[in-house]
Amino acid sequence: MTARAADRARYDRATAHLDAPLAIVDLDAFDANAEDLLRRAAGKPIRVASKSVRCRALLERVLAKDGFAGVMSFTLAESLWLARGGFEDVLLAYPSADRAAFAELAADPKLAAAVTVMIDDPAQLRLIDEARDGGREVVRVCLELDTSLKLLGRRVRVGARRSPLHSPAQVADLARAVARRPGFKVVGIMAYEGHIAGVGDSVAGHPLRSRAVRLMQATARRELAERRGEVVRAVRAVVPDLEFVNGGGTGSVQHTAAEDAVTEIGAGSGLYVPRLFDNYTSFSGRPAALFAQPVVRRPGVGVVTVLGGGYPASGAPGRDRLPVPHLPEGLRYDPQEGPGEVQTPLLGSPADDLLIGDKVWFRHAKAGELCERFDVLHLIEGDAVTATVPTYRGEGHTFL
């Protein structure tokens, strides 16, 4: 029996009393992935990206491990909700225009002490001040650095379009603008190198593309390490008591941790290891989060149809954004239909061994987005479900 077949047998036994559709997290794999992230971080603390987890019970589980510290959130409303729930160090990774949430933040000492907001433009400071509604608490801010690699006289850009702050002088100028403005304090710098951390460098069947990605990433790492060090020095000249410098992501943990300027690593997808993280030479994880759909039809030889399953991930549309049938091995989509909203035909010889009501297990493409489809996650240890915990959606929250 292959390792994947053994996993299927475990998952089927563990969930035999549950009807699909359902989602699971294999805690043995989840914990092993957490340990691998810690190994690659080489002693630097890891801040957990909540958008990649979207389940408070699992955030609490990983933060209970030595080496993980703090949450990186994705909306201000989520940040306040987590802080009210006892999370004491929440870094909002994206700028916000949520005026009601800013008013709440500025009026509550506990929330203001726990939450740090992201800025990259003085206009964001003005928006916060206009939203205060009398709140006088000091708002903790983090400055975001653009990590993109710019080539050929800046005519070619590689990397996400995030912050407008690219040079040390630009980041230091914003730090000075914050320092001059009452009611704000710069406490950190964040620089997420998505073109390194979030792009696989070993794509099956594409050796030339993979080599090009590795060359690009090596160049980008060298350029960013030098520039990030200069940015930190420039900002510390303005803010000597800077608390943290955050960088990295699941695909670049070990490289970012090697930079002296970086004090903590951001990561989250590496806990669930969705399919987008299969194509890396620097690490391999164990799929920990999966979902199951029930067989509801047997249209013919070599074909079964499961209920639903069309859960595309965000990003540029493409086949890599689709979930993939994982267990039993050997199933594939009908190219004329693909994964559907209400039904999905699957082709392959394993279909002939599946009965009505059997489960087909899928891997999704992007980590936390699975939790927008399910109210609960069934946590599996060995071959038993040991707990069932709500996702954000199950707690009544869809923050974005």
Side-chain angles (χ1 to χ4, degrees):
M1 181 181 289
T2 66
R4 280 174 63 175
D7 283 340
R8 181 194 175 199
R10 284 197 303 117
Y11 300 153
D12 282 348
R13 286 195 300 271
T15 63
H17 62 296
L18 299 170
D19 288 332
L22 59 83
I24 65 165
V25 171
D26 182 336
L27 290 181
D28 295 333
F30 182 90
D31 290 342
N33 293 335
E35 291 304 316
D36 184 66
L37 288 170
L38 290 173
R39 176 188 61 79
R40 292 196 287 134
K44 289 192 175 176
I46 297 174
R47 185 181 291 274
V48 184
S50 64
K51 80 178 182 68
S52 300
V53 179
R54 302 192 204 198
C55 171
R56 283 204 293 178
L58 290 174
L59 287 173
E60 290 166 352
R61 182 184 183 90
V62 71
L63 286 170
K65 299 177 183 293
D66 290 340
F68 289 89
V71 172
M72 179 181 287
S73 58
F74 61 100
T75 74
L76 185 54
E78 178 214 11
S79 305
L80 302 185
W81 178 66
L82 290 173
R84 286 193 297 269
F87 291 83
E88 297 179 348
D89 181 4
V90 182
L91 169 63
L92 175 57
Y94 307 88
S96 176
D98 187 339
R99 291 176 172 82
F102 277 128
E104 186 176 353
L105 176 69
D108 189 314
K110 178 184 175 182
L111 297 180
V115 175
T116 300
V117 303
M118 191 66 60
I119 69 164
D120 56 31
D121 189 315
Q124 293 153 352
L125 299 175
R126 292 193 292 274
L127 185 146
I128 296 170
D129 267 341
E130 291 166 0
R132 282 179 181 271
D133 193 28
R136 297 178 177 273
E137 296 300 321
V138 172
V139 174
R140 294 165 53 88
V141 300
C142 179
L143 312 178
E144 181 168 4
L145 169 68
D146 169 38
T147 65
S148 64
L149 175 64
K150 297 186 178 181
L151 304 169
L152 301 178
R154 302 171 71 88
R155 292 191 298 274
V156 174
R157 174 194 182 101
V158 180
R161 296 181 182 277
R162 292 177 63 113
S163 170
L165 307 176
H166 190 80
S167 70
Q170 288 174 314
V171 185
D173 284 347
L174 184 55
R176 278 188 283 271
V178 177
R180 290 193 297 266
R181 197 174 189 104
F184 296 93
K185 180 182 180 182
V186 173
V187 297
I189 299 171
M190 188 190 84
Y192 171 60
E193 53 267 39
H195 52 303
I196 303 171
V199 177
D201 63 352
S202 180
V203 182
H206 298 276
L208 294 180
R209 176 184 169 189
S210 298
R211 177 170 173 77
V213 169
R214 288 194 289 273
L215 289 172
M216 176 276 292
Q217 290 179 339
T219 301
R221 283 196 300 268
R222 288 192 296 270
E223 186 276 336
L224 179 58
E226 180 178 351
R227 180 160 53 89
R228 182 154 40 198
E230 293 172 355
V231 166
V232 172
R233 287 190 290 274
V235 173
R236 286 195 185 278
V238 180
V239 187
D241 57 345
L242 197 68
E243 295 177 16
F244 64 86
V245 177
N246 181 282
T250 288
S252 68
V253 170
Q254 65 274 30
H255 301 297
T256 309
E259 295 183 33
D260 291 339
V262 174
T263 66
E264 63 175 41
I265 309 299
S269 295
L271 296 168
Y272 287 169
V273 187
R275 64 168 296 207
L276 279 177
F277 286 85
D278 287 347
N279 303 319
Y280 287 80
T281 57
S282 59
F283 80 100
S284 61
R286 292 172 55 185
L290 301 95
F291 67 93
Q293 304 296 115
V295 174
V296 293
R297 287 179 172 165
R298 292 171 50 88
V301 175
V303 186
V304 292
T305 301
V306 299
L307 182 70
Y311 305 154
S314 60
R319 291 178 62 84
D320 64 343
R321 301 290 144 168
L322 301 178
V324 290
H326 183 60
L327 303 169
E329 299 179 66
L331 293 173
R332 65 187 186 279
Y333 292 127
D334 181 335
Q336 296 185 63
E337 296 195 46
E341 179 187 9
V342 291
Q343 68 169 33
T344 298
L346 299 170
L347 313 180
S349 58
D352 295 329
D353 296 322
L354 291 169
L355 304 177
I356 299 296
D358 283 352
K359 296 180 177 77
V360 174
W361 296 90
F362 292 78
R363 293 179 65 203
H364 60 298
K366 292 188 75 173
E369 293 184 13
L370 177 66
C371 296
E372 300 299 337
R373 301 286 183 169
F374 292 91
D375 291 343
V376 299
L377 299 173
H378 301 285
L379 308 184
I380 291 180
E381 296 182 80
D383 59 358
V385 172
T386 57
T388 298
V389 296
T391 60
Y392 280 12
R393 169 178 163 167
E395 295 199 67
H397 295 287
T398 51
F399 289 109
L400 201 58

PDB file of all heavy atoms in Angstrom, residues 139-170:
ATOM      1  N   VAL A 139      -2.096  54.846  17.749  1.00  0.00           N
ATOM      2  CA  VAL A 139      -2.239  53.752  16.790  1.00  0.00           C
ATOM      3  C   VAL A 139      -0.848  53.283  16.365  1.00  0.00           C
ATOM      4  O   VAL A 139      -0.035  54.063  15.871  1.00  0.00           O
ATOM      5  CB  VAL A 139      -3.058  54.197  15.565  1.00  0.00           C
ATOM      6  CG1 VAL A 139      -3.085  53.097  14.502  1.00  0.00           C
ATOM      7  CG2 VAL A 139      -4.473  54.582  15.985  1.00  0.00           C
ATOM      8  N   ARG A 140      -0.598  52.002  16.566  1.00  0.00           N
ATOM      9  CA  ARG A 140       0.671  51.394  16.168  1.00  0.00           C
ATOM     10  C   ARG A 140       0.643  51.149  14.655  1.00  0.00           C
ATOM     11  O   ARG A 140      -0.315  50.602  14.124  1.00  0.00           O
ATOM     12  CB  ARG A 140       0.866  50.057  16.897  1.00  0.00           C
ATOM     13  CG  ARG A 140       1.028  50.197  18.398  1.00  0.00           C
ATOM     14  CD  ARG A 140       0.834  48.845  19.103  1.00  0.00           C
ATOM     15  NE  ARG A 140       1.668  47.802  18.550  1.00  0.00           N
ATOM     16  CZ  ARG A 140       2.908  47.544  18.935  1.00  0.00           C
ATOM     17  NH1 ARG A 140       3.479  48.292  19.885  1.00  0.00           N
ATOM     18  NH2 ARG A 140       3.600  46.554  18.387  1.00  0.00           N
ATOM     19  N   VAL A 141       1.715  51.560  13.969  1.00  0.00           N
ATOM     20  CA  VAL A 141       1.755  51.392  12.522  1.00  0.00           C
ATOM     21  C   VAL A 141       3.018  50.653  12.095  1.00  0.00           C
ATOM     22  O   VAL A 141       4.073  50.750  12.723  1.00  0.00           O
ATOM     23  CB  VAL A 141       1.647  52.736  11.764  1.00  0.00           C
ATOM     24  CG1 VAL A 141       0.346  53.447  12.098  1.00  0.00           C
ATOM     25  CG2 VAL A 141       2.840  53.623  12.052  1.00  0.00           C
ATOM     26  N   CYS A 142       2.863  49.917  11.002  1.00  0.00           N
ATOM     27  CA  CYS A 142       3.959  49.221  10.345  1.00  0.00           C
ATOM     28  C   CYS A 142       4.070  49.783   8.938  1.00  0.00           C
ATOM     29  O   CYS A 142       3.056  50.056   8.284  1.00  0.00           O
ATOM     30  CB  CYS A 142       3.673  47.718  10.309  1.00  0.00           C
ATOM     31  SG  CYS A 142       4.931  46.713   9.484  1.00  0.00           S
ATOM     32  N   LEU A 143       5.285  49.974   8.460  1.00  0.00           N
ATOM     33  CA  LEU A 143       5.530  50.505   7.125  1.00  0.00           C
ATOM     34  C   LEU A 143       5.827  49.351   6.174  1.00  0.00           C
ATOM     35  O   LEU A 143       6.657  48.496   6.475  1.00  0.00           O
ATOM     36  CB  LEU A 143       6.712  51.473   7.136  1.00  0.00           C
ATOM     37  CG  LEU A 143       6.722  52.543   8.233  1.00  0.00           C
ATOM     38  CD1 LEU A 143       7.981  53.390   8.126  1.00  0.00           C
ATOM     39  CD2 LEU A 143       5.476  53.416   8.142  1.00  0.00           C
ATOM     40  N   GLU A 144       5.146  49.336   5.017  1.00  0.00           N
ATOM     41  CA  GLU A 144       5.386  48.242   4.079  1.00  0.00           C
ATOM     42  C   GLU A 144       6.329  48.666   2.959  1.00  0.00           C
ATOM     43  O   GLU A 144       6.121  49.682   2.296  1.00  0.00           O
ATOM     44  CB  GLU A 144       4.087  47.724   3.464  1.00  0.00           C
ATOM     45  CG  GLU A 144       4.360  46.559   2.512  1.00  0.00           C
ATOM     46  CD  GLU A 144       3.133  45.809   2.073  1.00  0.00           C
ATOM     47  OE1 GLU A 144       2.011  46.209   2.441  1.00  0.00           O
ATOM     48  OE2 GLU A 144       3.296  44.812   1.347  1.00  0.00           O
ATOM     49  N   LEU A 145       7.349  47.852   2.748  1.00  0.00           N
ATOM     50  CA  LEU A 145       8.327  48.055   1.687  1.00  0.00           C
ATOM     51  C   LEU A 145       7.935  47.247   0.457  1.00  0.00           C
ATOM     52  O   LEU A 145       7.583  46.073   0.558  1.00  0.00           O
ATOM     53  CB  LEU A 145       9.712  47.609   2.178  1.00  0.00           C
ATOM     54  CG  LEU A 145      10.822  47.499   1.115  1.00  0.00           C
ATOM     55  CD1 LEU A 145      11.192  48.883   0.591  1.00  0.00           C
ATOM     56  CD2 LEU A 145      12.044  46.783   1.700  1.00  0.00           C
ATOM     57  N   ASP A 146       8.009  47.869  -0.705  1.00  0.00           N
ATOM     58  CA  ASP A 146       7.823  47.151  -1.971  1.00  0.00           C
ATOM     59  C   ASP A 146       9.051  46.288  -2.222  1.00  0.00           C
ATOM     60  O   ASP A 146      10.175  46.776  -2.273  1.00  0.00           O
ATOM     61  CB  ASP A 146       7.652  48.160  -3.105  1.00  0.00           C
ATOM     62  CG  ASP A 146       7.714  47.508  -4.475  1.00  0.00           C
ATOM     63  OD1 ASP A 146       7.197  46.389  -4.616  1.00  0.00           O
ATOM     64  OD2 ASP A 146       8.291  48.127  -5.396  1.00  0.00           O
ATOM     65  N   THR A 147       8.833  44.985  -2.392  1.00  0.00           N
ATOM     66  CA  THR A 147       9.963  44.062  -2.566  1.00  0.00           C
ATOM     67  C   THR A 147      10.256  43.746  -4.018  1.00  0.00           C
ATOM     68  O   THR A 147      11.185  42.990  -4.308  1.00  0.00           O
ATOM     69  CB  THR A 147       9.686  42.733  -1.842  1.00  0.00           C
ATOM     70  OG1 THR A 147       8.575  42.082  -2.480  1.00  0.00           O
ATOM     71  CG2 THR A 147       9.400  42.947  -0.377  1.00  0.00           C
ATOM     72  N   SER A 148       9.489  44.273  -4.955  1.00  0.00           N
ATOM     73  CA  SER A 148       9.612  43.843  -6.352  1.00  0.00           C
ATOM     74  C   SER A 148      11.011  44.118  -6.896  1.00  0.00           C
ATOM     75  O   SER A 148      11.699  45.062  -6.492  1.00  0.00           O
ATOM     76  CB  SER A 148       8.565  44.537  -7.214  1.00  0.00           C
ATOM     77  OG  SER A 148       8.781  45.926  -7.249  1.00  0.00           O
ATOM     78  N   LEU A 149      11.404  43.251  -7.807  1.00  0.00           N
ATOM     79  CA  LEU A 149      12.683  43.390  -8.495  1.00  0.00           C
ATOM     80  C   LEU A 149      12.457  44.211  -9.763  1.00  0.00           C
ATOM     81  O   LEU A 149      11.595  43.881 -10.589  1.00  0.00           O
ATOM     82  CB  LEU A 149      13.222  42.001  -8.862  1.00  0.00           C
ATOM     83  CG  LEU A 149      14.512  41.942  -9.690  1.00  0.00           C
ATOM     84  CD1 LEU A 149      15.688  42.527  -8.923  1.00  0.00           C
ATOM     85  CD2 LEU A 149      14.791  40.513 -10.122  1.00  0.00           C
ATOM     86  N   LYS A 150      13.230  45.282  -9.923  1.00  0.00           N
ATOM     87  CA  LYS A 150      13.078  46.149 -11.093  1.00  0.00           C
ATOM     88  C   LYS A 150      14.347  46.075 -11.930  1.00  0.00           C
ATOM     89  O   LYS A 150      15.454  46.303 -11.430  1.00  0.00           O
ATOM     90  CB  LYS A 150      12.771  47.579 -10.660  1.00  0.00           C
ATOM     91  CG  LYS A 150      11.449  47.676  -9.898  1.00  0.00           C
ATOM     92  CD  LYS A 150      11.054  49.085  -9.577  1.00  0.00           C
ATOM     93  CE  LYS A 150       9.698  49.107  -8.852  1.00  0.00           C
ATOM     94  NZ  LYS A 150       9.256  50.485  -8.545  1.00  0.00           N
ATOM     95  N   LEU A 151      14.169  45.757 -13.205  1.00  0.00           N
ATOM     96  CA  LEU A 151      15.282  45.532 -14.116  1.00  0.00           C
ATOM     97  C   LEU A 151      15.189  46.444 -15.330  1.00  0.00           C
ATOM     98  O   LEU A 151      14.154  47.062 -15.580  1.00  0.00           O
ATOM     99  CB  LEU A 151      15.269  44.064 -14.579  1.00  0.00           C
ATOM    100  CG  LEU A 151      15.307  42.992 -13.482  1.00  0.00           C
ATOM    101  CD1 LEU A 151      15.027  41.624 -14.080  1.00  0.00           C
ATOM    102  CD2 LEU A 151      16.649  43.019 -12.768  1.00  0.00           C
ATOM    103  N   LEU A 152      16.275  46.497 -16.090  1.00  0.00           N
ATOM    104  CA  LEU A 152      16.332  47.265 -17.336  1.00  0.00           C
ATOM    105  C   LEU A 152      15.878  48.697 -17.129  1.00  0.00           C
ATOM    106  O   LEU A 152      14.961  49.193 -17.795  1.00  0.00           O
ATOM    107  CB  LEU A 152      15.481  46.582 -18.424  1.00  0.00           C
ATOM    108  CG  LEU A 152      15.885  45.140 -18.790  1.00  0.00           C
ATOM    109  CD1 LEU A 152      14.943  44.577 -19.840  1.00  0.00           C
ATOM    110  CD2 LEU A 152      17.328  45.092 -19.270  1.00  0.00           C
ATOM    111  N   GLY A 153      16.540  49.343 -16.165  1.00  0.00           N
ATOM    112  CA  GLY A 153      16.210  50.735 -15.905  1.00  0.00           C
ATOM    113  C   GLY A 153      14.808  50.927 -15.389  1.00  0.00           C
ATOM    114  O   GLY A 153      14.165  51.928 -15.703  1.00  0.00           O
ATOM    115  N   ARG A 154      14.324  49.939 -14.598  1.00  0.00           N
ATOM    116  CA  ARG A 154      13.003  49.965 -13.958  1.00  0.00           C
ATOM    117  C   ARG A 154      11.874  49.768 -14.960  1.00  0.00           C
ATOM    118  O   ARG A 154      10.696  49.946 -14.622  1.00  0.00           O
ATOM    119  CB  ARG A 154      12.788  51.262 -13.172  1.00  0.00           C
ATOM    120  CG  ARG A 154      13.831  51.508 -12.096  1.00  0.00           C
ATOM    121  CD  ARG A 154      13.701  52.901 -11.499  1.00  0.00           C
ATOM    122  NE  ARG A 154      12.519  52.999 -10.678  1.00  0.00           N
ATOM    123  CZ  ARG A 154      12.464  52.701  -9.372  1.00  0.00           C
ATOM    124  NH1 ARG A 154      13.557  52.258  -8.747  1.00  0.00           N
ATOM    125  NH2 ARG A 154      11.353  52.844  -8.689  1.00  0.00           N
ATOM    126  N   ARG A 155      12.211  49.376 -16.205  1.00  0.00           N
ATOM    127  CA  ARG A 155      11.164  49.145 -17.192  1.00  0.00           C
ATOM    128  C   ARG A 155      10.489  47.787 -17.003  1.00  0.00           C
ATOM    129  O   ARG A 155       9.365  47.589 -17.456  1.00  0.00           O
ATOM    130  CB  ARG A 155      11.738  49.251 -18.605  1.00  0.00           C
ATOM    131  CG  ARG A 155      12.187  50.659 -18.997  1.00  0.00           C
ATOM    132  CD  ARG A 155      12.487  50.766 -20.481  1.00  0.00           C
ATOM    133  NE  ARG A 155      13.583  49.881 -20.884  1.00  0.00           N
ATOM    134  CZ  ARG A 155      14.866  50.187 -20.811  1.00  0.00           C
ATOM    135  NH1 ARG A 155      15.238  51.373 -20.325  1.00  0.00           N
ATOM    136  NH2 ARG A 155      15.789  49.336 -21.212  1.00  0.00           N
ATOM    137  N   VAL A 156      11.196  46.861 -16.364  1.00  0.00           N
ATOM    138  CA  VAL A 156      10.658  45.521 -16.116  1.00  0.00           C
ATOM    139  C   VAL A 156      10.505  45.323 -14.615  1.00  0.00           C
ATOM    140  O   VAL A 156      11.440  45.564 -13.849  1.00  0.00           O
ATOM    141  CB  VAL A 156      11.580  44.428 -16.703  1.00  0.00           C
ATOM    142  CG1 VAL A 156      11.079  43.038 -16.307  1.00  0.00           C
ATOM    143  CG2 VAL A 156      11.680  44.561 -18.211  1.00  0.00           C
ATOM    144  N   ARG A 157       9.318  44.894 -14.203  1.00  0.00           N
ATOM    145  CA  ARG A 157       9.031  44.685 -12.790  1.00  0.00           C
ATOM    146  C   ARG A 157       8.682  43.214 -12.581  1.00  0.00           C
ATOM    147  O   ARG A 157       7.862  42.641 -13.285  1.00  0.00           O
ATOM    148  CB  ARG A 157       7.848  45.562 -12.359  1.00  0.00           C
ATOM    149  CG  ARG A 157       7.350  45.323 -10.943  1.00  0.00           C
ATOM    150  CD  ARG A 157       5.982  45.970 -10.743  1.00  0.00           C
ATOM    151  NE  ARG A 157       5.511  45.789  -9.379  1.00  0.00           N
ATOM    152  CZ  ARG A 157       5.568  46.717  -8.438  1.00  0.00           C
ATOM    153  NH1 ARG A 157       6.046  47.909  -8.724  1.00  0.00           N
ATOM    154  NH2 ARG A 157       5.125  46.466  -7.227  1.00  0.00           N
ATOM    155  N   VAL A 158       9.298  42.605 -11.559  1.00  0.00           N
ATOM    156  CA  VAL A 158       8.983  41.236 -11.164  1.00  0.00           C
ATOM    157  C   VAL A 158       8.519  41.275  -9.709  1.00  0.00           C
ATOM    158  O   VAL A 158       9.286  41.658  -8.824  1.00  0.00           O
ATOM    159  CB  VAL A 158      10.201  40.303 -11.300  1.00  0.00           C
ATOM    160  CG1 VAL A 158       9.823  38.879 -10.878  1.00  0.00           C
ATOM    161  CG2 VAL A 158      10.745  40.322 -12.721  1.00  0.00           C
ATOM    162  N   GLY A 159       7.274  40.895  -9.463  1.00  0.00           N
ATOM    163  CA  GLY A 159       6.751  40.926  -8.096  1.00  0.00           C
ATOM    164  C   GLY A 159       5.388  41.601  -8.045  1.00  0.00           C
ATOM    165  O   GLY A 159       4.966  42.278  -8.991  1.00  0.00           O
ATOM    166  N   ALA A 160       4.724  41.398  -6.923  1.00  0.00           N
ATOM    167  CA  ALA A 160       3.366  41.930  -6.749  1.00  0.00           C
ATOM    168  C   ALA A 160       3.368  43.448  -6.660  1.00  0.00           C
ATOM    169  O   ALA A 160       4.335  44.063  -6.201  1.00  0.00           O
ATOM    170  CB  ALA A 160       2.744  41.342  -5.484  1.00  0.00           C
ATOM    171  N   ARG A 161       2.268  44.042  -7.106  1.00  0.00           N
ATOM    172  CA  ARG A 161       2.104  45.497  -7.000  1.00  0.00           C
ATOM    173  C   ARG A 161       1.473  45.801  -5.648  1.00  0.00           C
ATOM    174  O   ARG A 161       0.254  45.778  -5.500  1.00  0.00           O
ATOM    175  CB  ARG A 161       1.237  46.014  -8.145  1.00  0.00           C
ATOM    176  CG  ARG A 161       1.866  45.807  -9.512  1.00  0.00           C
ATOM    177  CD  ARG A 161       1.007  46.349 -10.631  1.00  0.00           C
ATOM    178  NE  ARG A 161       1.604  46.101 -11.929  1.00  0.00           N
ATOM    179  CZ  ARG A 161       2.534  46.844 -12.500  1.00  0.00           C
ATOM    180  NH1 ARG A 161       2.991  47.936 -11.868  1.00  0.00           N
ATOM    181  NH2 ARG A 161       3.027  46.543 -13.686  1.00  0.00           N
ATOM    182  N   ARG A 162       2.311  46.065  -4.675  1.00  0.00           N
ATOM    183  CA  ARG A 162       1.828  46.326  -3.322  1.00  0.00           C
ATOM    184  C   ARG A 162       2.169  47.765  -2.936  1.00  0.00           C
ATOM    185  O   ARG A 162       1.580  48.716  -3.421  1.00  0.00           O
ATOM    186  CB  ARG A 162       2.425  45.300  -2.344  1.00  0.00           C
ATOM    187  CG  ARG A 162       1.882  43.875  -2.580  1.00  0.00           C
ATOM    188  CD  ARG A 162       2.529  42.857  -1.671  1.00  0.00           C
ATOM    189  NE  ARG A 162       2.284  43.083  -0.262  1.00  0.00           N
ATOM    190  CZ  ARG A 162       1.555  42.282   0.510  1.00  0.00           C
ATOM    191  NH1 ARG A 162       0.972  41.199   0.005  1.00  0.00           N
ATOM    192  NH2 ARG A 162       1.409  42.541   1.789  1.00  0.00           N
ATOM    193  N   SER A 163       3.152  47.947  -2.096  1.00  0.00           N
ATOM    194  CA  SER A 163       3.491  49.271  -1.598  1.00  0.00           C
ATOM    195  C   SER A 163       4.157  50.134  -2.671  1.00  0.00           C
ATOM    196  O   SER A 163       4.908  49.635  -3.509  1.00  0.00           O
ATOM    197  CB  SER A 163       4.439  49.120  -0.400  1.00  0.00           C
ATOM    198  OG  SER A 163       4.985  50.354  -0.025  1.00  0.00           O
ATOM    199  N   PRO A 164       3.945  51.474  -2.629  1.00  0.00           N
ATOM    200  CA  PRO A 164       4.686  52.382  -3.506  1.00  0.00           C
ATOM    201  C   PRO A 164       6.070  52.717  -2.961  1.00  0.00           C
ATOM    202  O   PRO A 164       6.824  53.443  -3.613  1.00  0.00           O
ATOM    203  CB  PRO A 164       3.795  53.623  -3.535  1.00  0.00           C
ATOM    204  CG  PRO A 164       3.121  53.627  -2.207  1.00  0.00           C
ATOM    205  CD  PRO A 164       2.887  52.182  -1.869  1.00  0.00           C
ATOM    206  N   LEU A 165       6.407  52.220  -1.771  1.00  0.00           N
ATOM    207  CA  LEU A 165       7.675  52.562  -1.116  1.00  0.00           C
ATOM    208  C   LEU A 165       8.744  51.549  -1.515  1.00  0.00           C
ATOM    209  O   LEU A 165       8.752  50.412  -1.050  1.00  0.00           O
ATOM    210  CB  LEU A 165       7.510  52.562   0.407  1.00  0.00           C
ATOM    211  CG  LEU A 165       6.371  53.422   0.961  1.00  0.00           C
ATOM    212  CD1 LEU A 165       6.264  53.251   2.472  1.00  0.00           C
ATOM    213  CD2 LEU A 165       6.557  54.891   0.588  1.00  0.00           C
ATOM    214  N   HIS A 166       9.669  51.979  -2.367  1.00  0.00           N
ATOM    215  CA  HIS A 166      10.680  51.047  -2.883  1.00  0.00           C
ATOM    216  C   HIS A 166      12.081  51.331  -2.350  1.00  0.00           C
ATOM    217  O   HIS A 166      12.849  50.406  -2.113  1.00  0.00           O
ATOM    218  CB  HIS A 166      10.694  51.115  -4.418  1.00  0.00           C
ATOM    219  CG  HIS A 166      11.504  50.038  -5.067  1.00  0.00           C
ATOM    220  ND1 HIS A 166      11.033  48.753  -5.250  1.00  0.00           N
ATOM    221  CD2 HIS A 166      12.762  50.054  -5.588  1.00  0.00           C
ATOM    222  CE1 HIS A 166      11.952  48.015  -5.835  1.00  0.00           C
ATOM    223  NE2 HIS A 166      13.012  48.785  -6.053  1.00  0.00           N
ATOM    224  N   SER A 167      12.395  52.580  -2.145  1.00  0.00           N
ATOM    225  CA  SER A 167      13.767  52.944  -1.756  1.00  0.00           C
ATOM    226  C   SER A 167      13.863  53.201  -0.258  1.00  0.00           C
ATOM    227  O   SER A 167      12.867  53.518   0.406  1.00  0.00           O
ATOM    228  CB  SER A 167      14.214  54.199  -2.499  1.00  0.00           C
ATOM    229  OG  SER A 167      13.494  55.333  -2.014  1.00  0.00           O
ATOM    230  N   PRO A 168      15.072  53.102   0.300  1.00  0.00           N
ATOM    231  CA  PRO A 168      15.255  53.448   1.721  1.00  0.00           C
ATOM    232  C   PRO A 168      14.791  54.863   2.043  1.00  0.00           C
ATOM    233  O   PRO A 168      14.176  55.095   3.088  1.00  0.00           O
ATOM    234  CB  PRO A 168      16.765  53.289   1.921  1.00  0.00           C
ATOM    235  CG  PRO A 168      17.177  52.289   0.891  1.00  0.00           C
ATOM    236  CD  PRO A 168      16.309  52.558  -0.298  1.00  0.00           C
ATOM    237  N   ALA A 169      15.050  55.802   1.149  1.00  0.00           N
ATOM    238  CA  ALA A 169      14.664  57.192   1.409  1.00  0.00           C
ATOM    239  C   ALA A 169      13.151  57.331   1.492  1.00  0.00           C
ATOM    240  O   ALA A 169      12.626  58.075   2.344  1.00  0.00           O
ATOM    241  CB  ALA A 169      15.226  58.100   0.318  1.00  0.00           C
ATOM    242  N   GLN A 170      12.422  56.644   0.635  1.00  0.00           N
ATOM    243  CA  GLN A 170      10.960  56.734   0.653  1.00  0.00           C
ATOM    244  C   GLN A 170      10.381  56.188   1.957  1.00  0.00           C
ATOM    245  O   GLN A 170       9.465  56.791   2.544  1.00  0.00           O
ATOM    246  CB  GLN A 170      10.376  55.956  -0.531  1.00  0.00           C
ATOM    247  CG  GLN A 170      10.592  56.612  -1.878  1.00  0.00           C
ATOM    248  CD  GLN A 170      10.110  55.725  -3.018  1.00  0.00           C
ATOM    249  OE1 GLN A 170      10.394  54.530  -3.053  1.00  0.00           O
ATOM    250  NE2 GLN A 170       9.383  56.314  -3.955  1.00  0.00           N
TER     251      GLN A 170
END
